Amino acid sequence: MSKKQKQQENADQMALPVPGVNHKAGTFEPLLPLNKLQATYILACQSDPVVICTGVLGSSKTYIPVMIGADLLRDKRIQKLVIARPTEGKAQSTGFNKGSLNEKLAGWCAPCTETLKKRLGTGNFEAYLANGRIELLSLEQCKGRTFDDAFVIIDEAEDLDPLVAKCLVTRQGTNTTTVIAGDIAQKDIKSWSGLDILLKVAPLSPGLRISHIDFDNWDYCVRSDEAKAWGQGFEAFDKLCAAEHK
């Protein structure tokens, strides 16, 4: 049996319904986990108000919450889907880019918006974006905001400045889920990563209902064999460089 056949067999055995998907009518294909940890991640996104997901590239850290958020929006179980993604390592300004705010942010949010377009259809995605039910959040404009009845995805959180990370997670209002995804190993910023800070602060936060999902080895990379091989290669290279500088 090939690797893909094994993955599909595993997914078929653990297929989970996603809110907003009419399986009987065949409106959407169900979101199928490719391993047990993905199944745990899906359940966490459906049931916990705060989810932090870390781990290797290609493990569906972003794809899974975007798919769930799209279905919740389409099913009118949330009022808004918010995508927050740092534009650069220190969340620097997009103000010098041409176009509207959404046009300025579109390139940085492409890993999320491309999945949304496929799940919702391009026309529906553009309509949701135009009426504000999908918001591409500028990190410079999050102060003073409150997100109620929303599904908030903070992607590439390893590149958040700690103060920006604090601002984002404290915007969460009622009936809202916040999913924070990132990989400390891929951070571009030189200072402390906002994601690292959140992981340290979460256990100190009284009563916070939170799940931490960690795709902590390369077996969880499902993007492609090539992506996994490159990832392993760069990890080995980084270790060699670190050893040489000791």
Side-chain angles (χ1 to χ4, degrees), residues 57-105:
L57 62 85
S59 53
S60 299
K61 298 187 298 293
T62 301
Y63 177 80
I64 285 173
V66 170
M67 291 281 281
I68 292 173
D71 292 335
L72 289 170
L73 185 66
R74 186 181 184 277
D75 198 43
K76 299 180 180 179
R77 295 185 60 178
I78 56 173
Q79 291 300 311
K80 177 175 289 213
L81 175 60
V82 179
I83 307 292
R85 201 169 192 268
T87 53
E88 293 185 47
K90 292 186 179 179
Q92 295 175 1
S93 176
T94 58
F96 293 107
N97 295 341
K98 294 181 179 180
S100 67
L101 180 59
N102 281 335
E103 289 171 337
K104 292 174 182 180
L105 293 170

Side-chain angles (χ1 to χ4, degrees), residues 160-176:
L160 288 175
D161 179 87
L163 291 178
V164 174
K166 176 183 177 181
C167 181
L168 282 170
V169 296
T170 55
R171 301 306 96 199
Q172 182 166 349
T174 59
N175 193 33
T176 291

Side-chain angles (χ1 to χ4, degrees), residues 103-233:
E103 289 171 337
K104 292 174 182 180
L105 293 170
W108 302 111
C109 294
C112 299
T113 58
E114 288 174 359
T115 299
L116 288 172
K117 289 176 183 178
K118 290 177 181 178
R119 191 64 166 174
L120 298 170
T122 300
N124 287 331
F125 166 79
E126 291 177 349
Y128 283 133
L129 193 63
N131 65 24
R133 294 196 64 199
I134 292 177
E135 180 176 356
L136 306 182
L137 182 65
S138 170
L139 302 185
E140 300 149 323
Q141 298 177 348
C142 68
K143 284 188 176 181
R145 302 286 303 278
T146 300
F147 297 114
D148 294 320
D149 298 310
F151 195 86
V152 180
I153 301 170
I154 304 173
D155 192 28
E156 299 288 349
E158 72 273 9
D159 283 334
L160 288 175
D161 179 87
L163 291 178
V164 174
K166 176 183 177 181
C167 181
L168 282 170
V169 296
T170 55
R171 301 306 96 199
Q172 182 166 349
T174 59
N175 193 33
T176 291
T177 297
T178 299
V179 181
I180 304 153
D183 178 7
I184 298 293
Q186 295 188 67
K187 73 171 185 176
D188 292 328
I189 59 175
K190 304 299 183 184
S191 62
W192 277 88
S193 164
L195 176 57
D196 202 19
I197 294 294
L198 294 177
L199 288 169
K200 294 179 186 302
V201 171
L204 306 176
S205 305
L208 182 65
R209 288 176 52 209
I210 184 171
S211 288
H212 178 205
I213 310 298
D214 188 19
F215 294 101
D216 59 358
N217 68 71
W218 289 103
D219 290 339
Y220 292 120
C221 179
V222 296
R223 180 173 295 154
S224 68
D225 290 339
E226 292 75 18
K228 179 190 293 187
W230 278 114
Q232 290 173 308

Side-chain angles (χ1 to χ4, degrees), residues 10 13-14 16 33-43 215 220:
N10 188 33
Q13 291 172 352
M14 296 190 295
L16 299 175
L34 297 180
N35 51 62
K36 290 182 179 179
L37 195 53
Q38 281 196 4
T40 301
Y41 187 24
I42 291 171
L43 287 173
F215 294 101
Y220 292 120

